[in-house]
Amino acid sequence: MFVRVLLLVSGLWAGLAHAGLTLDGSRSSLHLVSTKNAAIAEVHHFTALNGSLSAQGDVRVDIQAESLVTHIDIRDQRMKEHLLEVAKFPVLSITAKVDMVAVNALAAGEQIQFEQTIAVTLHGAEKSYQLPLRVTRLADGAIQATTIAPLVVNLADFQLLAGVDQLKALAKLNSIATQIPVVASFTFKDSKPR
């Protein structure tokens, strides 16, 4: 009897250890705000996000730089070519290690808030941030992680100032802010087929 129970627990543990969640791109978003000429703020977003949350708490979200939408075609093209340099850096990514004990303890509708260390890789450079997050277990069992406050990204940390200067010249602008507020909401769903 003991052996059967031990085998059952071992099998369960093996299943949990290999279980993982996949980013649901249709329920996830990443928005940023740019400011030009010190007074005009505009919201942009990315449409192609994918990623995973492992049973061990390893999070990775990849954002396709080509999917940036600014709602002005020529600006989309210029930002992708001169700022993000998508031909050289097609993907920007966010990685983190989360406490899965706390996440797995959430019942549907429950949420927790905590400070999370994340690493952002953009334009060939990486920087770590402390970010306040709200994590919620949704009714369908999915996990949603949302920023509580905007993350302010300094473009200088990612060697993007030369690209900003090019954009200013092309658009004949007096200024483009180099501190960019970013907000995100990522939903991870069961990756096992039903």
Side-chain angles (χ1 to χ4, degrees):
M1 178 68 171
F2 176 77
V3 174
R4 286 177 62 193
V5 171
L6 188 61
L7 287 171
L8 180 62
V9 171
S10 297
L12 230 114
W13 176 252
L16 286 173
H18 291 92
L21 302 176
T22 301
L23 186 77
D24 184 346
S26 67
R27 293 192 285 174
S28 299
S29 62
L30 181 69
H31 288 81
L32 56 111
V33 179
S34 69
T35 304
K36 62 187 181 186
N37 288 341
I40 303 168
E42 296 166 300
V43 179
H44 317 307
H45 69 281
F46 292 90
T47 60
L49 298 83
N50 54 69
S52 61
L53 168 57
S54 78
Q56 295 75 35
D58 297 303
V59 178
R60 182 177 184 90
V61 176
D62 289 329
I63 301 103
Q64 303 301 316
E66 186 64 42
S67 74
L68 176 67
V69 174
T70 72
H71 307 288
I72 297 176
D73 289 345
I74 188 64
R75 183 169 61 198
D76 285 0
Q77 177 188 333
R78 288 172 175 172
M79 286 183 70
K80 292 172 190 179
E81 181 179 348
H82 302 292
L83 183 68
L84 297 176
E85 295 186 276
V86 299
K88 285 168 56 178
F89 307 104
V91 177
L92 56 122
S93 64
I94 300 167
T95 56
K97 179 82 171 181
V98 300
D99 179 358
M100 288 305 288
V101 173
V103 170
N104 286 331
L106 292 172
E110 288 186 336
Q111 59 184 220
I112 51 175
Q113 297 181 13
F114 53 87
E115 289 283 320
Q116 176 67 50
T117 301
I118 67 165
V120 175
T121 302
L122 167 63
H123 201 247
E126 181 178 302
K127 182 170 175 59
S128 293
Y129 300 91
Q130 280 294 115
L131 187 63
L133 288 183
R134 178 179 295 113
V135 176
T136 306
R137 172 82 64 180
L138 303 181
D140 64 356
I143 299 294
Q144 183 183 65
T146 305
T147 52
I148 295 172
L151 171 65
V152 178
V153 174
N154 185 346
L155 298 185
D157 292 334
F158 297 97
Q159 291 82 52
L160 291 167
L161 296 187
V164 170
D165 288 340
Q166 284 184 290
L167 293 178
K168 279 195 301 187
L170 287 167
K172 298 178 174 53
L173 296 172
N174 295 324
S175 67
I176 297 176
T178 58
Q179 305 282 328
I180 305 296
V182 179
V183 295
S185 179
F186 299 138
T187 298
F188 296 90
K189 63 182 181 179
D190 191 343
S191 58
K192 296 190 296 293
R194 297 270 176 201

